[in-house]
Amino acid sequence: MVILNYEQFSEIQQAIHKFRGHSIDCSRELVRRFPQHSPEMLGSILSREVQQRLKQSHSRISARAEDLLADYGRKIKSGASLDVLLKMSLSLRIPPLSLCRMLLLKKYSHKTKAEVSEMLRHPDIIPDSVLGANVGYCLYNENMEGPITDTIRRCIGEEYEMKLKQMAKDMGMVFYDEGDLRRTGYDKTPDLKLAIPCLYKGRAVNWIESKASFGDMDSHQKYVRDQLISYGNRFGAGIVIYWFGYLDMIADCAENGDFITVVDNFPAPEELEFLKFNIPDTCLEELNKPVS
């Protein structure tokens, strides 16, 4: 089981809040300090905490972008090394690439946001080669955002969606996936829509959603508002799987209503009940006759 109570979750949160290094180092510290929990769970909680911290400080730090850019320039002129931006992000307590984005938008104000994003993906195209080297140093020392992290997260999400489909097939479920549903005109779609509903511990299951993340209260409530409640209204009750665990209180939060069941793994065979069709023996005999 990977379900945390509030005390366990708060202990991990406090460890993150007190850590004064980069996120990539905090990840290692969390694994060392909480060996009873999976690295995937700890990394997911860390990612959420870093995002929350950035939301709270982004506008304040962004307003200082011109001064920060000037400070960066002074440090470079004084002979500082290529980790200037990495060290500045540490003192500001924001992800390195967030700082890089702010400074690039300020320095190259004539560029579009898309062009600046391309600079973050390919620092070698930044006209200022020293700045490009600093951005590159941040890029390869960042595990919370950026093109490398985005690719890893997308691959992990797809891996668990494939895992969900395979486990559903092994269980004998017949289902439609997102592609099937979108082709029929649906916009918001669960990962699996069961062609024939089943019961999980006595509760109806019409759909299953896969989340390769840890389910805390804020993220779960947002998923409910943005996705899950629409599945419930359209298809009936279903299941959301948080593969990296969840905070115990989200299983009973009011937002779930009668539509959403929260689990941390694919249901075991003994927990599921499928519809049984009584087919007369004479019909079975006809079906099993060899084709002449």
Side-chain angles (χ1 to χ4, degrees):
M1 298 288 284
V2 284
I3 303 171
L4 301 186
N5 59 39
Y6 185 74
E7 183 179 352
Q8 292 170 318
F9 181 61
S10 294
E11 187 180 4
I12 297 171
Q13 279 186 310
Q14 288 304 311
I16 294 170
H17 295 166
K18 292 177 181 178
F19 191 81
R20 288 296 180 268
H22 290 294
S23 296
I24 197 167
D25 298 316
C26 187
S27 297
R28 300 189 187 100
E29 175 61 18
L30 290 175
V31 170
R32 184 197 66 78
R33 183 168 172 181
F34 302 100
Q36 69 274 30
H37 301 310
S38 72
E40 292 82 5
M41 172 196 280
L42 297 170
S44 182
I45 295 173
L46 173 60
S47 176
R48 177 69 181 174
E49 293 300 315
V50 170
Q51 289 171 18
Q52 287 292 94
R53 185 192 301 161
L54 181 60
K55 283 181 183 179
Q56 294 167 3
S57 62
H58 185 274
S59 59
R60 173 175 52 82
I61 297 173
S62 183
R64 297 173 51 202
E66 188 170 350
D67 291 337
L68 292 171
L69 185 59
D71 185 37
Y72 159 79
R74 285 191 293 270
K75 289 183 167 93
I76 291 297
K77 285 181 180 178
S78 67
S81 61
L82 299 181
D83 60 353
V84 174
L85 291 182
L86 192 66
K87 289 178 177 177
M88 287 176 66
S89 71
L90 182 59
S91 65
L92 293 167
R93 299 205 75 197
I94 63 171
L97 287 183
S98 293
L99 176 61
C100 292
R101 183 182 297 276
M102 292 176 193
L103 300 193
L104 287 172
L105 285 169
K106 177 59 64 174
K107 184 176 178 68
Y108 302 105
S109 56
H110 59 287
K111 300 283 189 181
T112 65
K113 289 185 177 180
E115 288 173 321
V116 168
S117 294
E118 189 67 11
M119 289 180 182
L120 289 172
R121 283 192 291 270
H122 304 287
D124 55 298
I125 68 174
I126 296 174
D128 183 332
S129 60
V130 177
L131 178 57
N134 264 271
V135 172
Y137 201 83
C138 289
L139 177 63
Y140 295 110
N141 284 277
E142 171 67 279
N143 67 340
M144 287 294 111
E145 65 168 326
I148 297 174
T149 302
D150 291 344
T151 299
I152 292 171
R153 285 178 179 156
R154 185 171 61 253
C155 290
I156 291 173
E158 291 175 356
E159 175 189 348
Y160 277 89
E161 285 181 24
M162 291 174 62
K163 178 179 179 179
L164 171 63
K165 290 179 185 179
Q166 188 59 55
M167 295 178 86
K169 287 178 182 177
D170 293 343
M171 198 67 71
M173 293 178 171
V174 180
F175 56 82
Y176 306 103
D177 63 18
E178 287 181 286
D180 299 325
L181 294 170
R182 290 187 186 279
R183 281 191 291 272
T184 58
Y186 290 107
D187 50 354
K188 291 186 178 181
T189 61
D191 291 314
L192 299 185
K193 166 66 175 71
L194 303 189
I196 303 174
C198 64
L199 295 178
Y200 169 69
K201 295 184 177 180
R203 299 191 65 178
V205 178
N206 295 278
W207 51 268
I208 305 176
E209 179 74 2
S210 170
K211 296 294 183 189
S213 61
F214 178 86
D216 60 66
M217 184 59 77
D218 289 340
S219 60
H220 178 67
Q221 289 175 330
K222 187 176 187 303
Y223 284 140
V224 171
R225 290 193 306 270
D226 296 348
Q227 295 178 300
L228 305 182
I229 196 66
S230 66
Y231 304 162
N233 290 333
R234 182 171 294 168
F235 303 119
I239 284 176
V240 56
I241 303 176
Y242 286 104
W243 295 103
F244 301 159
Y246 62 86
L247 182 61
D248 58 1
M249 62 179 66
I250 74 169
D252 301 314
C253 71
E255 288 83 356
N256 293 341
D258 296 324
F259 291 130
I260 301 163
T261 299
V262 179
V263 298
D264 65 333
N265 211 329
F266 194 89
E270 62 271 16
E271 296 174 320
L272 294 171
E273 186 177 346
F274 296 93
L275 290 173
K276 296 181 176 63
F277 298 95
N278 293 319
I279 303 176
D281 291 341
T282 53
C283 292
L284 290 173
E285 291 173 1
E286 289 296 321
L287 289 170
N288 290 325
K289 278 183 179 179
V291 179
S292 56

